[in-house]
Structures are given as structure tokens and as C-alpha cells.
Amino acid sequence: MGEPDFPTPPPVIKAAAAALRAGHTHYADQKGLPELRAALAARLPGCPGRTWTTDDILVTHGATAALAAVALAMIGPGDRVVIPEPAYSLYADLVVLAGGTVDFVPLAPDLHWDLDALAEALPGAAMMIFSNPSNPTGIVHCEQELKALGDLLDGSGILVVSDEAYHRLVYPGHVMTSALEVESLRDRTVYVQTFSKTYAMTGWRVGYLTGPREVVDAAAHVHRTHNGSLNTAVQHAALAALELPDGIVDAMVERYRQRRELSADFAGE
Ligand SMILES: Cc1ncc(COP(=O)(O)O)c(C=O)c1O
């Protein structure tokens, strides 16, 4: 289920309660509280030559609604979407819902992308969707792999959707590189993120996306039509989550690491 078994950190709960008591009980800005969007823009993965502003961010009902908004905004009948498989099942469901066609491309035996197979599948596609780190494989697609994908896409108009929900759950020996940090991917990437996993906030339903401005605006249109604005007090709680000391998230990640090693030992790896 991708469900953290830790409670949401107390400062986040306190911030939500304080926001409710302070009267933050009305509609919020349709794209998300400006102060939350500004804080998120300031924390996006860095890339030389690119700065992000409040208007680049759309706050969504979890990553789920971010993915849905992008799919419904950008895919239509006749559009083919490449999905390395196995993949998080929501992607294919959304493509079908939007009227597109799913083109599953099996992973290589080491569970990384099969770049030759992608080179065959990508021409003529409208979009490619993946998660990194990957659900369900746990693979971290490294910088070199992302750059190779960027090279494959060079000259095409294919939109990349990079769902980085598990970006903080990366263990020793692996380095997380965001698609936003790879120059050849940055301008064609819709970056999808969520508070669910990093802050043990699955039930709060806060996610966000950024990407090319026209895609963000189109996704915002779909999101406000389907969902309306996001719970205002929850957005104040999300701001508090961003202010948590790194150590709080690190401690959860450390426990996951210990369990991971224990299960790997049982599996004889
Ligand atoms: C890869 C991936 N993306 C997105 C989601 C959904 O996240 P959210 O709770 O923000 O909707 C999940 C949930 O399991 C997931 O595994």
C-alpha cells in the first residue's frame, strides 16, 4: 500500500489544529495557498539556470490528483503513452480514462529501463510516465539513466511525467537524481510530488506538481474543475511539514532501512 506505519509528526497535527482555530476554514486559492506554493517552489530540486516561482506550482489532492490532472489535461483519444512496466497501476488507468492508448515497455532484466526498447517505442508517443524511485521495483533510476532517456527524447515533443513520491526513501549505495536536475529532461518534465510518504501524511491528501507553465495551467484547470480547492487547514499543516527538521524524516528513513536490510537478509541477498 505504500503506507508509512509512523504517525504524522506532531508539529504537523498541531499546525492543522491551530489553522482551524485561527479560522482557516474557507476556500483556499484554487492553485494552492500562495505561501505553500512559494515554499514548495523554493525547495524544488535544483538545476543551474532555472528558478521556480509560486506560479509554477499546483497544489493537488495528493499525487493521485496531480497525475489525474496531467493525464486528463494532456492526453486525448489517439495519444499513445509509454509506461515502463511493471509500473504503479494508476498510470495506465488514467491514460485509459483520458482516452489514450497505453504502450507498456517491459523493463530490462535488472529492472532498469530497457533503453533499446524505449528507443523503439518512444517515436510518435505523446507522453512517458514513470516513478523514480520506482514503485513497485524499488529501483532508483540514476543520473546516467535519466540522461540517456533525455538523449532518446531529444528533438521530440514527448512530455515526461516523473512521479518522485518516494524521493526521500533512498538507501545507502543509491543516489536520487530528480528529472528536474537533468538538463535534457527538465523542460519537458512534469514533476509530481506528495507529502504522503516523506512525512507519513497519506491521509492528509496533499501533493503538488510543476512543469512547463502551459502544462501546469492546463492541469490547474482540470484540477479545479474536478476537485476545487484543497482543504485550507491541511495546506497550513503542509507548510509546517516543510519546516520540520530533516532529522525527523531521516529517523523514519533509518527505520525503513533497518527493516529493508532485515528482509534482504531473510531473502538471502
Ligand atoms: C509511485 C506512487 N505515486 C503516487 C502515489 C499516490 O500518492 P498520494 O497519496 O499523494 O496520492 C503512490 C501511492 O502509493 C505511489 O506509490
Side-chain angles (χ1 to χ4, degrees):
M1 282 297 292
E3 177 64 274
D5 64 337
F6 294 101
T8 299
V12 178
I13 295 171
K14 224 169 132 182
L20 288 170
R21 285 198 194 94
H24 294 298
T25 53
H26 295 268
Y27 291 131
D29 185 310
Q30 298 270 19
K31 289 180 77 176
L33 287 182
E35 57 268 47
L36 176 58
R37 285 189 284 137
L40 291 170
R43 288 168 170 79
L44 284 173
C47 184
R50 178 66 162 106
T51 50
W52 307 91
T53 70
T54 304
D55 285 339
D56 291 311
I57 302 281
L58 173 66
V59 180
T60 58
H61 287 251
T64 302
L67 291 160
V70 173
L72 292 172
M74 305 308 296
I75 301 167
D79 287 336
R80 188 166 55 83
V81 177
V82 169
I83 303 178
E85 152 83 359
Y88 183 44
S89 59
L90 180 67
Y91 307 152
D93 293 344
L94 288 172
V95 171
V96 171
L97 186 69
T101 309
V102 178
D103 191 356
F104 284 125
V105 175
L107 296 171
D110 65 357
L111 302 181
H112 285 268
W113 294 324
D114 182 338
L115 291 166
D116 293 335
L118 284 175
E120 272 189 36
L122 284 168
M127 184 185 281
M128 172 171 165
I129 310 180
F130 58 83
S131 54
N132 188 30
S134 168
N135 176 6
T137 65
I139 289 293
V140 181
H141 298 288
C142 65
E143 184 178 6
Q144 201 186 2
E145 204 174 354
L146 290 162
K147 280 185 172 162
L149 176 65
D151 290 346
L152 282 183
L153 294 170
D154 191 31
S156 80
I158 300 171
L159 195 63
V160 164
V161 177
S162 182
D163 173 359
E164 302 184 13
Y166 292 97
H167 72 141
R168 283 289 265 114
L169 306 191
V170 174
Y171 303 101
H174 303 273
V175 177
M176 174 63 197
T177 303
S178 170
L180 292 182
E181 294 173 279
V182 175
E183 207 179 335
S184 54
L185 289 178
R186 186 187 65 189
D187 293 339
R188 65 169 74 248
T189 293
V190 180
Y191 169 87
V192 173
Q193 195 49 272
T194 175
F195 285 70
S196 286
K197 319 294 177 179
T198 303
Y199 302 107
M201 287 177 66
T202 46
W204 297 71
R205 313 306 307 133
V206 203
Y208 56 100
L209 63 78
T210 191
R213 183 65 67 82
E214 65 279 10
V215 180
V216 174
D217 290 346
H221 193 70
V222 172
H223 193 269
R224 74 169 175 262
T225 308
H226 283 235
N227 306 105
S229 64
L230 191 72
N231 183 313
T232 309
V234 160
Q235 295 189 65
H236 286 278
L239 257 174
L242 294 178
E243 296 301 330
L244 289 171
D246 279 347
I248 291 189
V249 176
D250 291 343
M252 292 192 268
V253 176
E254 172 56 16
R255 286 294 300 280
Y256 294 139
R257 185 194 64 75
Q258 289 167 5
R259 295 173 191 170
R260 173 182 181 270
E261 284 184 7
L262 194 64
S263 39
D265 283 350
F266 274 125
E269 281 181 21

